[in-house]
Amino acid sequence: MSTWANLGLQDSASPLMEQLIFFHDHALLILVMITVLVGYLMFMLFFNNYVNRFLLHGQLIEMIWTILPAIILLFIAFPSLRLLYLLDEINEPSVTLKSIGHQWYWSYEYSDFNNIEFDSYMIPTNELTTDGFRLLDVDNRIVLPMNSQIRILVTAADVIHSWTIPALGVKVDGTPGRLNQTNFFINRPGLFYGQCSEICGANHSFMPIVIESVPTNYFIKWISNNLNS
Ligand code: CUA
């Protein structure tokens, strides 16, 4: 999760987020190179004393500074497209989780396991324990197995919400009447925090998401406990 003074991306906990960070760094590097070059050229203009009264056109330089930026843009466009299609690829998911956005909480359904379902509300500040995170912890966490392909189906019951977990590189809108799909693979155990990221009303800030990533045998134990109760 993000803590104070952390303005950058969170550490990745999934292969897709790792790729997203690589792409971010790649695009930023190109951006810095362009900024430095253009900045240098503009700065040096102040100290330029050369005047050419008969200069009307320069076919060659026009050609160069039109085509060169176009080629540079390709170096962003192709990795971007690669990532776009990579994010959409789904490869034999072992667990499917359905998440439904409400004003203002999330509810979840484990469709593979007798449709286990529960609501997940934020814990209010006055009920928070000392080890809890304010505005971020929920009463019922999602439990998911690590090192497995997870499919997530997102929808909403009232207005548009957005199911967003930065560390996993997941951000899907939940739209009433539609069922959106994405997938992720958590490559370590732990807690992963997220928040709704679609302005959905007065308590938009107060519908966080918490994933508890556990080894597969723990997950099976959790599922069977819930099936029996
Ligand atoms: Cu739900 Cu913002």
Side-chain angles (χ1 to χ4, degrees), residues 135-152:
L135 306 183
L136 228 41
D137 265 316
V138 295
D139 54 359
N140 293 306
R141 291 168 176 164
I142 313 156
V143 178
L144 284 173
M146 59 185 271
N147 292 331
S148 314
Q149 278 293 333
I150 318 262
R151 168 168 49 198
I152 165 100

Side-chain angles (χ1 to χ4, degrees), residues 63-83:
M63 193 88 113
I64 291 168
W65 69 40
T66 305
I67 293 172
L68 202 67
I71 293 170
I72 292 170
L73 284 181
L74 289 181
F75 280 92
I76 301 175
F78 284 117
S80 171
L81 278 173
R82 188 192 80 106
L83 196 52

Side-chain angles (χ1 to χ4, degrees), residues 104 160-162 196-200 204 207:
W104 288 274
I160 306 177
H161 299 271
S162 182
C196 177
S197 58
E198 188 73 66
I199 311 296
C200 58
H204 157 68
M207 48 181 301

Side-chain angles (χ1 to χ4, degrees), residues 133-213:
F133 294 112
R134 194 175 73 95
L135 306 183
L136 228 41
D137 265 316
V138 295
D139 54 359
N140 293 306
R141 291 168 176 164
I142 313 156
V143 178
L144 284 173
M146 59 185 271
N147 292 331
S148 314
Q149 278 293 333
I150 318 262
R151 168 168 49 198
I152 165 100
L153 303 170
V154 188
T155 184
D158 33 56
V159 298
I160 306 177
H161 299 271
S162 182
W163 202 83
T164 307
I165 309 272
L168 301 177
V170 178
K171 184 175 190 289
V172 188
D173 273 14
T175 309
R178 306 222 299 161
L179 195 61
N180 285 330
Q181 174 183 258
T182 191
N183 76 112
F184 55 82
F185 179 100
I186 314 173
N187 49 22
R188 60 191 173 88
L191 291 176
F192 301 104
Y193 291 87
Q195 286 177 300
C196 177
S197 58
E198 188 73 66
I199 311 296
C200 58
N203 293 325
H204 157 68
S205 325
F206 310 124
M207 48 181 301
I209 304 150
V210 184
I211 292 183
E212 198 173 321
S213 170

